[in-house]
Amino acid sequence: MRSFLAFSVDSKTRTLVADHISSRKGGFRGISWVPSRNLHITVKFLGEIDDLTCKSVENCLQESAPLLSPFSLTPEGGGCFPDPGRARVLFIAYSLDEPVMKWIHRLHTSLVSLGFPKENRPFTAHLTLGRVRRPVPERQIHRFLEETDQLSLPKFEVQNILMMESRLDPGGAIYSVHRTFSLGGGHA
């Protein structure tokens, strides 16, 4: 199973972001836009995992999810990886409180102990809007980021972490929830 861990996006944010993407599609060639059904905030990409590894990840989440209380994600504006001159991913950044960042760090450390590679970059909570497939002029990237900064998005509550399955299809990836882990009232 090809898998990743994610926080889901509330319906209001999903609708606002889908409208934002839809109204800009024609003006930005060379970008593969994320369908609204696939909008999420990736916590960790796992890749292709076998049944035994899947069970180990489930056990890890079953132990760790109750240690983090539900929390709010606050939008910070548009962004891109790695930078506007070489943009590959367009996104909306979200701020996380320190307890949530510590919990994610501990989760990543637990996943490394299961054999997953260590992340070399700091975690950035973000909602991917599109992937740049062909070179796009830097001025267009800046314009998109400015328009995204003006988008009025609400903060939203995260109640669980999802273990997702990703099936690759000629029409794009198809995501489905493999398992949901409710966040608890424990201390991070």
Side-chain angles (χ1 to χ4, degrees), residues 2-57:
R2 188 170 187 261
S3 185
F4 62 92
L5 307 180
F7 297 132
S8 61
V9 177
D10 73 322
S11 60
K12 184 174 184 176
T13 298
R14 186 176 304 278
T15 299
L16 290 169
V17 169
D19 290 347
H20 178 64
I21 290 171
S22 178
S23 68
R24 280 142 186 88
K25 277 185 180 179
F28 295 92
R29 306 270 181 231
I31 298 172
S32 175
W33 300 102
V34 176
S36 65
R37 71 180 181 279
N38 284 355
L39 292 171
H40 65 276
I41 295 181
T42 301
V43 175
K44 173 74 174 167
F45 179 73
L46 303 174
E48 194 66 40
I49 59 173
D50 59 26
D51 290 344
L52 184 61
T53 304
C54 179
K55 188 65 177 159
S56 295
V57 172

Side-chain angles (χ1 to χ4, degrees), residues 72-100:
S72 292
L73 278 170
T74 304
E76 292 185 322
C80 62
F81 293 132
D83 59 62
R86 301 174 297 141
R88 303 280 299 136
V89 177
L90 303 175
F91 62 83
I92 296 170
Y94 281 83
S95 63
L96 294 175
D97 292 337
E98 186 177 341
V100 179

Side-chain angles (χ1 to χ4, degrees), residues 103-140:
W103 181 86
I104 289 171
H105 176 74
R106 283 196 299 274
L107 176 62
H108 284 195
T109 300
S110 296
L111 293 169
V112 167
S113 73
L114 296 178
F116 291 96
K118 184 177 193 250
E119 293 292 334
N120 295 324
R121 298 174 296 227
F123 179 76
T124 301
H126 66 281
L127 176 62
T128 299
L129 305 179
R131 291 180 173 75
V132 180
R133 301 295 187 200
R134 293 189 318 262
V136 174
E138 188 173 346
R139 71 182 181 286
Q140 281 189 301

